Protein backbone atom coordinates (compact mmCIF):
# COMPACT_ATOMS: atom_id res chain seq x y z
CA UNK A 1 0.00 0.00 0.00
CA UNK A 2 1.17 3.42 -0.86
CA UNK A 3 1.02 6.16 1.77
CA UNK A 4 -1.04 9.13 0.81
CA UNK A 5 0.62 12.53 0.75
CA UNK A 6 -2.66 14.33 1.34
CA UNK A 7 -3.27 16.01 4.68
CA UNK A 8 -6.16 14.64 6.72
CA UNK A 9 -9.41 16.55 6.44
CA UNK A 10 -10.18 18.62 9.51
CA UNK A 11 -13.68 19.50 10.55
CA UNK A 12 -13.83 23.02 11.83
CA UNK A 13 -16.85 24.46 13.45
CA UNK A 14 -17.74 28.02 12.61
CA UNK A 15 -16.84 30.45 15.36
CA UNK A 16 -19.78 31.66 17.40
CA UNK A 17 -21.48 34.66 15.94
CA UNK A 18 -20.71 37.98 17.55
CA UNK A 19 -23.22 39.58 19.83
CA UNK A 20 -23.77 42.51 17.50
CA UNK A 21 -24.51 40.29 14.49
CA UNK A 22 -26.90 38.16 16.55
CA UNK A 23 -28.71 41.29 17.73
CA UNK A 24 -28.95 42.63 14.18
CA UNK A 25 -30.28 39.36 12.79
CA UNK A 26 -32.78 39.05 15.68
CA UNK A 27 -33.97 42.61 15.05
CA UNK A 28 -34.38 41.94 11.31
CA UNK A 29 -36.28 38.73 12.02
CA UNK A 30 -38.59 40.40 14.52
CA UNK A 31 -39.37 43.25 12.16
CA UNK A 32 -40.10 40.80 9.30
CA UNK A 33 -42.42 38.77 11.52
CA UNK A 34 -44.26 41.89 12.71
CA UNK A 35 -44.67 43.18 9.14
CA UNK A 36 -46.21 39.85 8.12
CA UNK A 37 -48.80 40.20 10.89
CA UNK A 38 -50.27 43.56 9.93
CA UNK A 39 -53.36 43.07 12.08
CA UNK A 40 -51.14 42.98 15.17
CA UNK A 41 -49.70 46.33 14.12
CA UNK A 42 -53.02 47.87 13.16
CA UNK A 43 -55.01 46.96 16.28
CA UNK A 44 -53.15 49.24 18.71
CA UNK A 45 -53.13 52.10 16.19
CA UNK A 46 -56.85 51.84 15.58
CA UNK A 47 -57.50 51.57 19.31
CA UNK A 48 -55.34 54.66 19.94
CA UNK A 49 -57.22 56.72 17.35
CA UNK A 50 -60.64 55.54 18.53
CA UNK A 51 -59.98 56.30 22.20
CA UNK A 52 -58.72 59.81 21.49
CA UNK A 53 -61.48 60.48 18.95
CA UNK A 54 -64.29 59.36 21.24
CA UNK A 55 -63.06 61.32 24.26
CA UNK A 56 -64.57 64.66 23.13
CA UNK A 57 -67.87 62.93 22.39
CA UNK A 58 -67.97 61.31 25.81
CA UNK A 59 -66.86 64.26 27.97
CA UNK A 60 -67.05 67.66 26.33
CA UNK A 61 -66.27 69.03 22.88
CA UNK A 62 -65.32 72.42 24.37
CA UNK A 63 -62.01 73.57 22.85
CA UNK A 64 -60.69 75.01 26.12
CA UNK A 65 -61.40 71.79 27.99
CA UNK A 66 -59.84 69.66 25.25
CA UNK A 67 -56.76 71.87 25.20
CA UNK A 68 -56.29 71.35 28.94
CA UNK A 69 -56.99 67.61 28.94
CA UNK A 70 -55.71 66.68 25.47
CA UNK A 71 -52.13 65.76 26.29
CA UNK A 72 -53.22 63.59 29.20
CA UNK A 73 -55.83 61.84 27.09
CA UNK A 74 -53.28 61.10 24.38
CA UNK A 75 -50.84 59.77 26.98
CA UNK A 76 -53.45 57.49 28.57
CA UNK A 77 -54.54 56.25 25.14
CA UNK A 78 -50.89 55.57 24.23
CA UNK A 79 -50.41 53.65 27.49
CA UNK A 80 -53.47 51.51 26.80
CA UNK A 81 -52.42 50.91 23.18
CA UNK A 82 -48.94 49.83 24.30
CA UNK A 83 -50.47 47.43 26.82
CA UNK A 84 -52.69 46.05 24.07
CA UNK A 85 -49.72 45.43 21.81
CA UNK A 86 -47.60 43.80 24.54
CA UNK A 87 -49.90 40.80 24.74
CA UNK A 88 -48.13 38.84 22.01
CA UNK A 89 -44.56 39.96 22.70
CA UNK A 90 -43.30 36.52 23.75
CA UNK A 91 -46.38 34.34 23.14
CA UNK A 92 -45.50 33.14 19.63
CA UNK A 93 -41.93 32.34 20.67
CA UNK A 94 -43.19 30.34 23.62
CA UNK A 95 -45.60 28.38 21.41
CA UNK A 96 -43.05 27.49 18.71
CA UNK A 97 -40.16 26.76 21.10
CA UNK A 98 -37.97 29.73 20.20
CA UNK A 99 -37.65 30.79 23.83
CA UNK A 100 -35.95 27.50 24.66
CA UNK A 101 -33.51 28.14 21.82
CA UNK A 102 -32.74 31.57 23.27
CA UNK A 103 -31.73 29.88 26.51
CA UNK A 104 -29.32 27.61 24.63
CA UNK A 105 -27.49 30.39 22.78
CA UNK A 106 -24.18 31.64 24.14
CA UNK A 107 -25.42 35.24 24.03
CA UNK A 108 -26.81 36.80 27.21
CA UNK A 109 -30.56 36.36 27.45
CA UNK A 110 -31.19 39.93 28.58
CA UNK A 111 -29.65 41.25 25.36
CA UNK A 112 -31.98 39.13 23.22
CA UNK A 113 -34.97 40.27 25.26
CA UNK A 114 -33.83 43.89 24.95
CA UNK A 115 -33.63 43.50 21.17
CA UNK A 116 -37.16 42.08 21.18
CA UNK A 117 -38.42 45.04 23.22
CA UNK A 118 -36.67 47.48 20.88
CA UNK A 119 -38.28 45.86 17.84
CA UNK A 120 -41.66 45.99 19.60
CA UNK A 121 -41.16 49.66 20.39
CA UNK A 122 -40.06 50.45 16.86
CA UNK A 123 -42.90 48.60 15.14
CA UNK A 124 -45.81 49.16 17.55
CA UNK A 125 -45.11 52.40 19.41
CA UNK A 126 -43.34 54.63 16.89
CA UNK A 127 -46.47 54.71 14.68
CA UNK A 128 -48.40 55.91 17.75
CA UNK A 129 -45.91 58.72 18.19
CA UNK A 130 -46.25 59.61 14.51
CA UNK A 131 -50.06 59.78 14.89
CA UNK A 132 -49.87 61.94 18.02
CA UNK A 133 -49.53 65.33 16.21
CA UNK A 134 -52.70 64.72 14.21
CA UNK A 135 -54.58 63.71 17.35
CA UNK A 136 -53.10 66.70 19.15
CA UNK A 137 -54.63 68.96 16.52
CA UNK A 138 -57.95 67.23 17.09
CA UNK A 139 -57.62 68.08 20.78
CA UNK A 140 -56.90 71.76 19.96
CA UNK A 141 -53.32 71.63 21.24
CA UNK A 142 -50.92 74.37 20.16
CA UNK A 143 -47.83 73.64 18.11
CA UNK A 144 -45.57 73.92 21.13
CA UNK A 145 -47.80 71.59 23.16
CA UNK A 146 -47.77 69.06 20.33
CA UNK A 147 -43.99 69.22 20.15
CA UNK A 148 -43.66 68.68 23.91
CA UNK A 149 -46.21 65.85 23.74
CA UNK A 150 -44.28 64.09 20.98
CA UNK A 151 -41.00 64.55 22.82
CA UNK A 152 -42.41 63.12 26.05
CA UNK A 153 -43.94 60.22 24.14
CA UNK A 154 -40.60 59.60 22.47
CA UNK A 155 -38.85 59.52 25.85
CA UNK A 156 -41.56 57.80 27.89
CA UNK A 157 -42.83 55.03 25.65
CA UNK A 158 -39.59 53.00 25.68
CA UNK A 159 -39.99 52.80 29.45
CA UNK A 160 -43.58 51.62 28.96
CA UNK A 161 -42.32 48.92 26.61
CA UNK A 162 -39.59 47.82 29.02
CA UNK A 163 -41.86 47.67 32.05
CA UNK A 164 -44.64 46.07 30.04
CA UNK A 165 -42.26 43.42 28.71
CA UNK A 166 -41.73 42.19 32.26
CA UNK A 167 -45.47 41.67 32.62
CA UNK A 168 -45.67 40.03 29.19
CA UNK A 169 -42.83 37.67 30.12
CA UNK A 170 -44.57 36.68 33.34
CA UNK A 171 -47.87 35.93 31.64
Amino acid sequence: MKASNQAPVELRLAPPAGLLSVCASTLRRDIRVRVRKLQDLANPLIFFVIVVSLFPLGVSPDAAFLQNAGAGVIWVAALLAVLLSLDGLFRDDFEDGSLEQWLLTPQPLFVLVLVRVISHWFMAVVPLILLAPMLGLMMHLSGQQIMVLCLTLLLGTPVLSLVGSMGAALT
Side-chain angles (χ1 to χ4, degrees):
M1 289 245 164
K2 252 185 170 179
S4 173
N5 289 344
Q6 294 177 350
V9 176
E10 291 182 31
L11 291 176
R12 292 187 181 174
L13 297 175
L19 184 61
L20 189 60
S21 66
V22 169
C23 290
S25 64
T26 303
L27 187 64
R28 280 192 305 269
R29 177 198 169 271
D30 287 347
I31 289 173
R32 275 196 311 259
V33 167
R34 288 190 183 274
V35 167
R36 288 181 188 150
K37 296 181 178 183
L38 288 178
Q39 72 276 7
D40 290 344
L41 292 176
N43 283 341
L45 289 174
I46 293 169
F47 177 81
F48 181 62
V49 171
I50 288 173
V51 167
V52 175
S53 299
L54 290 179
F55 183 79
L57 295 175
V59 180
S60 171
D62 182 39
F65 174 75
L66 291 177
Q67 191 173 15
N68 288 333
V73 170
I74 291 173
W75 251 104
V76 169
L79 169 67
L80 295 173
V82 169
L83 288 176
L84 181 67
S85 67
L86 282 170
D87 179 46
L89 188 61
F90 299 112
R91 183 185 44 215
D92 292 339
D93 292 322
F94 176 73
E95 289 173 357
D96 69 7
S98 299
L99 288 181
E100 287 85 5
Q101 296 300 316
W102 282 14
L103 294 173
L104 297 174
T105 62
Q107 281 73 28
L109 185 60
F110 75 91
V111 173
L112 297 174
V113 171
L114 185 63
V115 169
R116 171 61 56 91
V117 172
I118 289 170
S119 72
H120 167 266
W121 180 80
F122 184 71
M123 295 300 292
V125 181
V126 169
L128 296 176
I129 297 170
L130 295 175
L131 279 175
M134 179 190 70
L135 297 174
L137 289 174
M138 276 179 40
M139 300 298 259
H140 301 285
L141 297 178
S142 68
Q144 185 178 10
Q145 288 173 320
I146 291 173
M147 188 176 68
V148 169
L149 173 68
C150 291
L151 183 64
T152 58
L153 284 171
L154 192 62
L155 294 174
T157 52
V159 175
L160 291 176
S161 291
L162 284 170
V163 172
S165 69
M166 288 187 279
L170 291 174
T171 59

